[in-house]
Every structure is written in C-alpha cells, then in structure tokens.
Amino acid sequence: SEDFNISGQTVTAGIDYSWSAVGYIGYVFGLDKRNLIKLGAGYNSFHVFAESQGIKDSDSTGDVRTFVGYERAFVGNWNLRLEANYIKVEGSDGSMATIGLAYQF
C-alpha cells in the first residue's frame, strides 16, 4: 500500500489481492523442437482499497489481459521464458515484460 496526501488528508491505498485466468496457444519449432512461441488472452481481477481517517472503502475490478511469449528448453527440464503482457482495467491500460525460469515436472 501507499500513502497519498490529498488536500491535507492522508489517504492509504493499495491492492489487497489479484488473480488471473489465461489460456494460450503455441507453436513448437526448430530442428531440436525446443523453441515455443505462444499467444494468449484472459481475464485479470484486482481487489483494491483506500482508507482515510478511519473510513475504508474497497472494490473489485477486472478486465482483459493478452500476451505473446517465447520459451526455450535449454537443460533437462528447465525452460527460459520471455513474455510481453498488455493489461486493460476499466479504461486504463499498461504493458509489462517478464523473464523467468520454469521447471517441467
């Protein structure tokens, strides 16, 4: 959470929790079949709150999420993952890129 000063009043606001559900399709390619390009879409939901002078309010909101990604299987069951995400929530939108490691069981 963060504190904001609005007209001399301190307001604390933040996100209590968020969740998402996404699905994707992908295409495996390369001579060794260790590359994957994928496209996906889904839904994101956020539960937000604000509090000032003992008064607290909260709301849930959500909207569309889309992404494109690439994975490369490189050693045993380990994959390197790159992803670009677009997220829209009630008229506001944003994007983010992620990189990570994944282990396949």
Side-chain angles (χ1 to χ4, degrees):
S1 67
E2 288 189 51
D3 290 337
F4 301 92
N5 189 327
I6 300 172
S7 299
Q9 301 295 321
T10 300
V11 177
T12 302
I15 298 174
D16 281 329
Y17 60 87
S18 67
W19 63 268
S20 64
V22 296
Y24 64 90
I25 58 172
Y27 177 73
V28 175
F29 65 96
L31 294 175
D32 56 2
K33 301 290 187 197
R34 296 175 65 83
N35 299 285
L36 171 69
I37 188 88
K38 59 186 179 178
L39 300 171
Y43 182 81
N44 273 6
S45 178
F46 302 92
H47 188 263
V48 296
F49 72 91
E51 183 175 5
S52 180
Q53 296 180 337
I55 300 170
K56 186 173 181 177
D57 194 14
S58 63
D59 192 16
S60 291
T61 186
D63 217 324
V64 176
R65 172 186 174 194
T66 59
F67 66 90
V68 61
Y70 169 78
E71 288 190 32
R72 168 73 181 169
F74 63 95
V75 175
N77 292 348
W78 288 97
N79 291 359
L80 175 65
R81 214 178 251 187
L82 305 168
E83 218 171 77
N85 292 270
Y86 168 79
I87 300 171
K88 180 179 176 229
V89 179
E90 289 190 355
S92 296
D93 60 359
S95 58
M96 70 176 173
T98 58
I99 185 170
L101 292 174
Y103 184 81
Q104 294 178 342
F105 292 92

